[in-house]
Amino acid sequence: MEQKTYDNQSISSLKGADRVRLRPGVIFGSDGIEGCQHSVFEILANAIDEAREGFGSVINVILHADHSITIEDYGRGIPLDYNEIEGRYNWELVFCELYAGGKYNNNEGDNYEFSLGLNGLGSCATQYSSEYMDVRVCRDGYCYELRFEKGENIGGLKKYQYSYKSTGTKIHWKPDKEVFTDINISTEYMQLILKKQAIVNPGLKFIYTDEIASIREEYIYEEGITGYVKELAQSKNFTEVVFLENETKGQDSLDRPEYKLKFQIAFCFCNETPVLEYYHNSSYLEYGGSPDKAVKNAFLYSVDKYLKTENLYNKNEKKISFTDIQDSLILVSNSFSTITSYENQTKKSITNKFIQDAIQEYLKDYLHVYFIENKDEANKIAKQVL
């Protein structure tokens, strides 16, 4: 058997589109349907970030019969022209360069203060992982068009004067079966993700057209998470829906920079539909992390304290656990920060110590007053928990 040589010429690097096409799991967390779904979410996230900045209130989403996707927003439109500072065209930076974008100075109050996307990875990585991608942007009195096939630009940037009703960005692309093992994005996934984004972005309307299921739906929550908690409770809650909101600043440790934090919490108690959901910068935190720990610690501490203060524990009764509380709690948390520590690129959990501490202490203070001022509801909660 011939001995293989391992020398200085054995080391190589992936270049261009191959950095994503051959290793999609590194960027999207998976080379299967979950990774493909995350690539779709990245383009959607950019449209949502524009709307959250105050540019556009409607996002159109189409799941086509061939499993390609169109996402159209009415924001400012991605700048694609020549960038004198970088010495390159912006379309190359946005769609062909990993770690290039306009979301890196959010803690200094720049564009996209509370951004949702992968911050310089999403548009490029999704383009690289596509069979094809067509981009159309309206801004500055012009229409800009781009075409990509399997990570390569075809024909350069087309720019022409255009009279449009609104600025915005429209992207139509098809995930590549050569990159992902499964590209059949389901109707159920699209419905779920659009509903969740409507919940945490009050007043933003998503118009969804599904050519596979032959449906057209709209998602909008004018009351945001409060409306969602009411929907979950279905008028069967035995306490009123509470909505909390706070804004503060802090740092995770003395050697880390200070950053802004905003958070909203809506909750009520209901015997039939216990739900805990956490969102950060609009990302659904499937595994929670900092907000989850804060909520559990604060509720357990506060309810236990109330039970002790009111002598509601029976003699030798074991201290309650959070599970006892969770069995009848509907709570949705929606937080935003200018610096976020995610466990990984797929953003399913955050680890910021300051976010946990800030939410936890605020909730403890609120619940202390809430139990004193709402004795009837406090006793209902206590009875249910015990």
Side-chain angles (χ1 to χ4, degrees), residues 4 53 58 106 118 129 146 169 179 264 289 323 333 340 344 372:
K4 292 185 177 180
E53 289 290 305
V58 176
N106 49 352
L118 276 178
S129 63
L146 290 164
T169 300
V179 177
Q264 303 169 334
T323 302
S333 165
T340 306
N344 53 48
I372 292 174

Side-chain angles (χ1 to χ4, degrees), residues 157-174:
L157 177 67
K158 296 178 182 178
K159 173 184 175 182
Y160 52 90
Q161 287 188 324
Y162 188 69
S163 179
Y164 45 75
K165 292 182 179 179
S166 172
T167 57
T169 300
K170 182 177 182 179
I171 300 179
H172 175 219
W173 80 102
K174 185 176 182 180

Side-chain angles (χ1 to χ4, degrees), residues 9-181:
Q9 280 63 53
S10 302
I11 307 299
S12 62
S13 65
L14 294 176
K15 299 176 180 63
D18 283 347
R19 291 173 291 175
V20 176
R21 293 181 67 82
L22 298 182
R23 295 291 185 272
V26 175
I27 299 294
F28 299 121
S30 165
D31 66 352
I33 190 62
E34 286 191 354
C36 185
Q37 288 171 171
H38 196 77
S39 72
V40 174
F41 184 71
E42 285 305 314
I43 303 300
L44 179 65
N46 290 334
I48 293 169
D49 283 341
E50 270 294 280
R52 192 182 297 132
E53 289 290 305
F55 302 96
S57 58
V58 176
I59 296 174
N60 296 318
V61 179
I62 304 172
L63 180 60
H64 296 281
D66 65 348
H67 291 280
S68 63
I69 302 101
T70 294
I71 294 178
E72 180 180 21
D73 67 60
Y74 300 94
R76 290 166 291 185
I78 301 171
L80 299 178
D81 236 325
Y82 192 72
N83 185 326
E84 293 185 0
I85 295 176
E86 293 290 334
R88 297 174 65 184
Y89 276 88
N90 279 322
W91 71 263
E92 296 177 284
L93 295 171
V94 172
F95 291 102
C96 304
E97 190 70 59
L98 295 172
Y99 299 104
K103 303 178 183 179
Y104 289 123
N105 297 317
N106 49 352
N107 200 39
E108 280 73 50
D110 209 340
N111 288 318
Y112 306 110
E113 189 172 39
F114 303 108
S115 60
L116 170 59
L118 276 178
N119 299 6
L121 289 174
S123 296
C124 176
T126 301
Q127 187 277 110
Y128 277 160
S129 63
S130 301
E131 180 181 325
Y132 63 84
M133 175 181 281
D134 292 309
V135 180
R136 187 173 186 269
V137 171
C138 293
R139 62 170 291 148
D140 304 326
Y142 290 90
C143 180
Y144 301 80
E145 294 182 351
L146 290 164
R147 169 81 178 185
F148 299 94
E149 295 179 6
K150 296 187 180 296
E152 299 295 330
N153 174 249
I154 306 298
L157 177 67
K158 296 178 182 178
K159 173 184 175 182
Y160 52 90
Q161 287 188 324
Y162 188 69
S163 179
Y164 45 75
K165 292 182 179 179
S166 172
T167 57
T169 300
K170 182 177 182 179
I171 300 179
H172 175 219
W173 80 102
K174 185 176 182 180
D176 199 337
K177 195 69 166 61
E178 294 179 3
V179 177
F180 300 108
T181 58

Side-chain angles (χ1 to χ4, degrees), residues 182-226:
D182 187 354
I183 65 166
N184 295 332
I185 302 289
S186 69
T187 298
E188 291 73 22
Y189 170 77
M190 298 300 293
Q191 290 173 319
L192 179 63
I193 204 69
L194 294 177
K195 179 177 181 177
K196 286 184 180 298
Q197 289 307 309
I199 289 166
V200 294
N201 292 284
L204 177 57
K205 180 189 291 188
F206 295 87
I207 300 175
Y208 175 54
T209 303
D210 190 317
E211 295 179 353
I212 298 172
S214 299
I215 58 174
R216 184 183 184 279
E217 300 172 333
E218 294 185 3
Y219 298 89
I220 184 169
Y221 280 78
E222 296 290 357
E223 291 185 281
I225 60 174
T226 300

Side-chain angles (χ1 to χ4, degrees), residues 342-357:
Y342 291 99
E343 282 195 352
N344 53 48
Q345 288 284 22
T346 55
K347 300 186 174 183
K348 294 183 178 181
S349 177
I350 64 173
T351 60
N352 298 68
K353 185 178 185 301
F354 169 64
I355 292 177
Q356 178 180 333
D357 292 344

